[in-house]
Amino acid sequence: MADDNENDDSGTVGWGGILATLSASFLQSAVFYLLFLYQRAQHKKRNEFSLYEPRQYIKKHGTPFSDNWIRDAWNVSQEELLSIVGLDTLMYLRFLLLGTRVAAIGVFFSMVLVPLYATGNNRGAWTTEFNLFTLARVEQGSNKLWATVAFWWLFISYILLQLWREWKTFQGLKFRGTIQWDPDSTREARYAVRVELSDRSSSSSSLSIMKSDKALAEKFEELFPSQIRQANIFLEVGPLEKAIAERQIAIEAVEKATAFTMAKPLEPRPQTKIKSYLPCKGETVDTIEHFSHEVDRLNRDIDDMRAKILHQRDLADNSNSSSMDSEDAADRNSYIPSSTGIVVFKSLLAKESAMKRDDTQMTIVPASDPEAILWENVTVPLRKQKYRAIAAAVLWTFGVLWWAVPVALMTAIANLGAILKIFGLSRIINQDTAIYGIASGLAPVVALIVLMIAVYEGILTVAKKYIRFKSAPEVGAYAMRWHMLFQFANLWLILIGGSLFHQVGALIKDPWSIVDIIAYALPGASRFFVNMISVNGVGRFGLELSMLPQYGTTLFTNFLLPEAQRTQRMIDEGKKPPEVQWGKMIPQHVFVFFVMIMYQPIAPLVDVFALVYFCGTYIVWKHQCMHVYCQPAEGEGSTTWQSFFGFLLACLYMSEMVFIAYMGIKEAPSQAACGFVPLTATLLFHYKVHQAFVFASTGIDAADGTDPRASLIDMPIQEKVYWQPSLKAGLFEREPMPYRRVVSEYGTLP
């Protein structure tokens, strides 16, 4: 089998495709980088921040408009960075820095491994060009494999030490952040838990827990005397929320019509059709007058509904249902408590004790910041969420199986040489041209990136609209998990699919030869992964800095709707900083981390590309997170480091198993047995991390009695912070915004 593979030129990994993809990626990035420098300089002259400094509009501290952005981004200390971006973003950036360090060590080791592999005695098409510097060049059972084992031990040891260091850093920062109040976050959120009536509870005593705010508070007062600050039940307020949404549509219709009238005073005022579902029928009325009356009507309806619900809420808290008068009882159906509530404690110790409590009546989890709660989903029963999550998991599992079809197509394009050979065109078409290199190297990578974007958006939609998770961190964690699983599937499908494509004949003769096929495919498939790293790294550095999607959207909006015709709301929306979608970004980086580790002993040159990827991504995203992106709520590391650390360990486990299998295929049983040493070390490390960090106390019990910042007792607190926004009259607009805000020497006037 080895001889067949070595004489088959379909698996040759040529430098042409790699260099063509790298050159195209560099050229693209350079063009966008020049656009970034030019546009950024123009914006600085105009004192404009909407594209490259949007954080200035909401968080002016720590986001200076600097000239040398690379130097300033690199020199910002971890302490200053934490104060600017928060713990979630800091741990994301520290992961990129971790990838940089690991890749640098891999490159250092490659200085020995690459010459060692290049002097191997294996010959054939699979050991030329790029494969000349891979383990494929080393003959079966060679003593050179001991050097590979030694460097593998050192490599895994370094990664484990770095991961331990990151956990120690994270634990210290999380503890400090927990007892200190971030002025950009809601203070009460760190003391709050979300209470879900358990699926196992059906008794009347269990259901009475969620009867009213008072009942919930009394229940927790029994469990934690003198430790409850607030408690409230979320209500089913669908009709009220529907009326508020309808009013918002009417308000924005008035604003748009007013903006049109102000921009074009000589044009007729906008008209609208009413009392008809067909555009050509119905009565024509003035848009501004009609929707202004609608706003007034809806304001009255909303006030009545809200007052009635709050009145009934007070009755539920202060009396039992039998004491309600007949009118209140007749309207009782408008007050419908859900199975979800919030409890705010007076101390962090009490909150931790509540979350550790094993209660068959309730499920208690940390509450998200009010800014991160998806209020339209907050009353969905936990049982319904669980059933829908199971149904979605079945869908995604089958999706991974069908995912093999598009990935196989991308792999086939990447193995264009094998296709040409099958159809007898390999001698007709020149495979050394740049066009061929781009077609076989760049095109499949770009196509796969586009497909992964579509998959991620589908996962996100299912999480928000079907399962209906109750907070943005839950949605992000779900999207990250399934997006990461699809990324893992990509790697194995690319390896297996690409190998089987040009080894079908050998596989038919000997089905058990699939193990050997994959072994020889590992070095060969490195070209696809190198091209993917180049496109996702070098190709996106300039694109990310240029903010081209946002810039293009702005240009398109200006073309369709000049600024004079835009409402004040539209202008304000254009100034909001974007947020980082962790579930979209992190799996891409973990994928490269996986490829980097797996290929370090097999194709060490991959680590050179990974070093450029992680180092460049760290600098670019450190700048972007300090100046452009802004997360609406802080998860204190739970949405980043704690969410993807398990995937990093999965990368280690799979890489170690690949190493053992590859040594076995290389007919080196002693070296394969030595591969179990780092695998065992990783298992012990995993256990130790869980004991020392994951399941260990955060130290709040020690700080709670000594540090006044760990308690809310005698500390001013915002009342009703976790009330649903629809029940807070001040959170919603009652009238359209003015066409333009008036700015005077005294500030901005409404």
Side-chain angles (χ1 to χ4, degrees):
M1 181 65 202
D3 294 338
D4 293 339
N5 281 329
E6 291 166 5
N7 295 326
D8 183 5
D9 63 356
S10 62
T12 302
V13 181
W15 281 103
I18 294 175
L19 294 178
T21 302
L22 183 61
S23 299
S25 299
F26 178 80
L27 180 61
Q28 168 195 292
S29 195
V31 170
F32 289 133
Y33 181 68
L34 292 175
L35 175 65
F36 160 70
L37 293 179
Y38 174 76
Q39 290 292 341
R40 190 167 181 265
Q42 296 301 312
H43 283 214
K44 183 178 180 180
K45 290 179 181 178
R46 299 193 297 264
N47 200 31
E48 183 179 336
F49 307 109
S50 59
L51 191 60
Y52 299 115
E53 294 282 337
R55 284 177 61 100
Q56 287 280 357
Y57 291 112
I58 59 173
K59 294 186 178 183
K60 294 187 178 181
H61 62 280
T63 57
F65 204 131
S66 57
D67 293 324
N68 192 330
W69 70 270
I70 298 178
R71 181 195 63 201
D72 292 343
W74 185 263
N75 290 336
V76 172
S77 66
Q78 296 293 295
E79 288 291 328
E80 185 179 359
L81 188 61
L82 176 62
S83 67
I84 295 173
V85 301
L87 188 55
D88 276 329
T89 305
L90 176 66
M91 293 309 300
Y92 164 68
L93 295 173
R94 286 187 65 90
F95 163 61
L96 296 177
L97 196 57
L98 167 69
T100 302
R101 294 196 299 269
V102 172
I105 289 296
V107 171
F108 178 73
F109 290 166
S110 71
M111 294 179 184
V112 177
L113 293 177
V114 167
L116 189 70
Y117 294 166
T119 57
N121 296 323
N122 262 354
R123 295 294 183 271
W126 282 66
T127 60
T128 61
E129 298 206 33
F130 186 83
N131 280 352
L132 174 65
F133 309 105
T134 69
L135 200 54
R137 184 82 171 183
V138 179
E139 63 272 20
Q140 306 292 91
S142 172
N143 286 330
K144 292 181 179 180
L145 296 175
W146 284 112
T148 304
V149 171
F151 280 109
W152 182 241
W153 281 18
L154 292 173
F155 190 60
I156 295 300
S157 299
Y158 180 80
I159 294 174
L160 295 180
L161 287 173
Q162 291 299 310
L163 291 176
W164 183 266
R165 173 188 172 188
E166 292 304 311
W167 263 111
K168 289 187 68 175
T169 301
F170 170 69
Q171 195 76 349
L173 293 175
K174 186 175 177 63
F175 170 70
R176 190 178 70 184
T178 300
I179 65 172
Q180 291 178 349
W181 176 51
D182 181 359
D184 293 323
S185 65
T186 304
R187 182 188 312 209
E188 292 78 1
R190 67 187 67 241
Y191 298 90
V193 297
R194 194 179 79 210
V195 181
E196 301 278 357
L197 190 64
S198 176
D199 300 339
R200 295 171 289 179
S201 299
S202 58
S203 63
S204 58
S205 61
S206 300
L207 294 174
S208 66
I209 297 173
M210 298 297 187
K211 183 180 66 174
S212 66
D213 296 350
K214 183 179 179 180
L216 180 62
E218 289 176 347
K219 173 64 179 179
F220 275 83
E221 276 289 346
E222 294 176 5
L223 302 174
F224 306 97
S226 303
Q227 288 296 317
I228 308 305
R229 189 64 184 255
Q230 290 181 3
N232 66 274
I233 299 296
F234 295 132
L235 305 180
E236 300 284 357
V237 288
L240 175 60
E241 291 177 342
K242 182 179 179 181
I244 291 174
E246 187 178 349
R247 179 180 65 182
Q248 193 64 26
I249 293 174
I251 286 174
E252 293 184 21
V254 174
E255 292 173 355
K256 292 176 183 178
T258 302
F260 179 86
T261 302
M262 296 295 290
K264 298 183 178 181
L266 300 181
E267 296 286 336
R269 284 163 61 103
Q271 305 288 305
T272 190
K273 296 278 188 181
I274 62 172
K275 300 179 181 179
S276 175
Y277 294 102
L278 299 176
C280 58
K281 299 292 184 180
E283 179 184 353
T284 301
V285 297
D286 183 87
T287 299
I288 297 177
E289 292 182 1
H290 170 72
F291 283 107
S292 295
H293 291 310
E294 283 294 294
V295 170
D296 293 338
R297 178 185 65 82
L298 288 167
N299 277 335
R300 292 191 296 270
D301 293 345
I302 290 169
D303 291 343
D304 290 343
M305 283 189 284
R306 183 182 291 118
K308 189 176 296 182
I309 292 172
L310 295 179
H311 174 63
Q312 293 168 349
R313 184 176 209 151
D314 292 339
L315 288 175
D317 281 339
N318 300 322
S319 62
N320 54 46
S321 57
S322 60
S323 66
M324 286 180 157
D325 57 36
S326 58
E327 183 180 350
D328 292 326
D331 252 345
R332 177 70 169 162
N333 59 354
S334 62
Y335 173 79
I336 306 176
S338 71
S339 59
T340 305
I342 290 286
V343 176
V344 180
F345 292 91
K346 292 181 179 179
S347 68
L348 296 173
L349 179 59
K351 175 187 174 180
E352 279 206 345
S353 300
M355 290 188 296
K356 294 176 181 177
R357 181 180 176 82
D358 185 13
D359 196 319
T360 58
Q361 295 181 331
M362 299 173 289
T363 299
I364 304 174
V365 296
S368 298
D369 190 285
E371 294 294 327
I373 292 179
L374 304 178
W375 293 103
E376 65 274 17
N377 298 341
V378 78
T379 59
V380 177
L382 187 61
R383 175 180 295 183
K384 180 183 290 187
Q385 284 186 334
K386 290 180 178 179
Y387 288 157
R388 290 186 174 184
I390 293 173
V394 173
L395 169 68
W396 298 128
T397 302
F398 278 102
V400 170
L401 299 178
W402 285 103
W403 187 242
V405 176
V407 173
L409 178 60
M410 300 304 102
T411 306
I413 299 174
N415 290 280
L416 193 55
I419 299 176
L420 296 177
K421 184 177 180 180
I422 291 174
F423 291 99
L425 301 175
S426 57
R427 296 184 179 180
I428 300 175
I429 298 177
N430 186 0
Q431 300 183 22
D432 294 327
T433 63
I435 295 177
Y436 176 87
I438 292 175
S440 62
L442 185 61
V445 172
V446 173
L448 188 59
I449 291 173
V450 172
L451 284 175
M452 287 306 298
I453 292 174
V455 168
Y456 172 75
E457 293 299 330
I459 296 172
L460 209 60
T461 301
V462 168
K464 288 182 179 180
K465 303 298 182 182
Y466 177 68
I467 302 177
R468 298 184 67 187
F469 287 113
K470 302 185 180 185
S471 67
E474 290 176 291
V475 171
Y478 181 85
M480 182 185 300
R481 180 168 64 252
W482 282 105
H483 191 200
M484 192 68 254
L485 291 176
F486 270 92
Q487 293 281 17
F488 285 154
N490 283 344
L491 186 140
W492 295 111
L493 289 172
I494 290 168
L495 283 175
I496 298 173
S499 307
L500 297 183
F501 188 85
H502 50 71
Q503 294 290 340
V504 174
L507 189 61
I508 293 175
K509 294 178 183 178
D510 181 13
W512 294 103
S513 65
I514 187 172
V515 177
D516 291 333
I517 290 173
I518 295 174
Y520 280 95
L522 278 168
S526 59
R527 178 182 65 174
F528 186 91
F529 296 124
V530 165
N531 289 336
M532 178 170 285
I533 292 172
S534 297
V535 173
N536 276 324
V538 176
R540 296 182 68 173
F541 294 157
L543 178 62
E544 174 58 40
L545 287 169
S546 69
M547 300 298 292
L548 185 66
Q550 289 81 355
Y551 181 63
T553 301
T554 302
L555 289 179
F556 186 71
T557 302
N558 290 340
F559 176 76
L560 293 181
L561 199 66
E563 183 174 352
Q565 288 183 236
R566 292 203 294 271
T567 66
Q568 183 64 52
R569 186 184 307 276
M570 294 177 181
I571 295 175
D572 292 345
E573 287 292 328
K575 294 179 179 180
K576 285 186 178 180
E579 62 180 275
V580 183
Q581 295 179 304
W582 302 125
K584 182 178 181 180
M585 294 301 305
I586 290 176
Q588 299 175 11
H589 305 323
V590 175
F591 179 84
V592 177
F593 188 81
F594 183 19
V595 170
M596 172 181 67
I597 295 174
M598 184 178 66
Y599 272 102
Q600 201 284 325
I602 299 172
L605 286 181
V606 172
D607 283 16
V608 176
F609 293 86
L611 177 60
V612 175
Y613 176 92
F614 278 110
C615 185
T617 304
Y618 172 72
I619 293 295
V620 169
W621 276 93
K622 189 176 182 181
H623 169 271
Q624 295 295 85
C625 290
M626 289 193 300
H627 297 269
V628 178
Y629 293 95
C630 185
Q631 302 308 103
E634 175 61 40
E636 297 181 346
S638 62
T639 55
T640 52
W641 177 252
Q642 288 178 290
S643 293
F644 68 77
F645 173 74
F647 289 118
L648 299 184
L649 287 181
C651 294
L652 279 175
Y653 288 135
M654 288 188 286
S655 299
E656 289 158 353
M657 294 301 297
V658 167
F659 179 86
I660 293 170
Y662 200 88
M663 289 294 107
I665 293 169
K666 277 291 185 180
E667 299 178 4
S670 298
Q671 289 90 333
C674 289
F676 283 96
V677 174
L679 177 61
T680 303
T682 304
L683 288 169
L684 294 175
F685 169 82
H686 195 173
Y687 173 78
K688 186 65 176 178
V689 164
H690 273 259
Q691 294 297 316
F693 300 117
V694 178
F695 295 131
S697 171
T698 60
I700 293 301
D701 50 350
D704 198 80
T706 59
D707 197 322
R709 295 171 297 181
S711 175
L712 273 180
I713 298 176
D714 300 327
M715 197 176 281
I717 185 170
Q718 181 182 349
E719 293 297 330
K720 305 172 183 176
V721 65
Y722 275 104
W723 269 32
Q724 289 154 277
S726 57
L727 297 179
K728 297 180 180 180
L731 292 186
F732 288 92
E733 299 167 273
R734 297 180 60 84
E735 303 294 339
M737 295 178 67
Y739 172 64
R740 290 293 181 268
R741 291 192 182 92
V742 178
V743 180
S744 70
E745 58 179 330
Y746 302 104
T748 301
L749 303 178

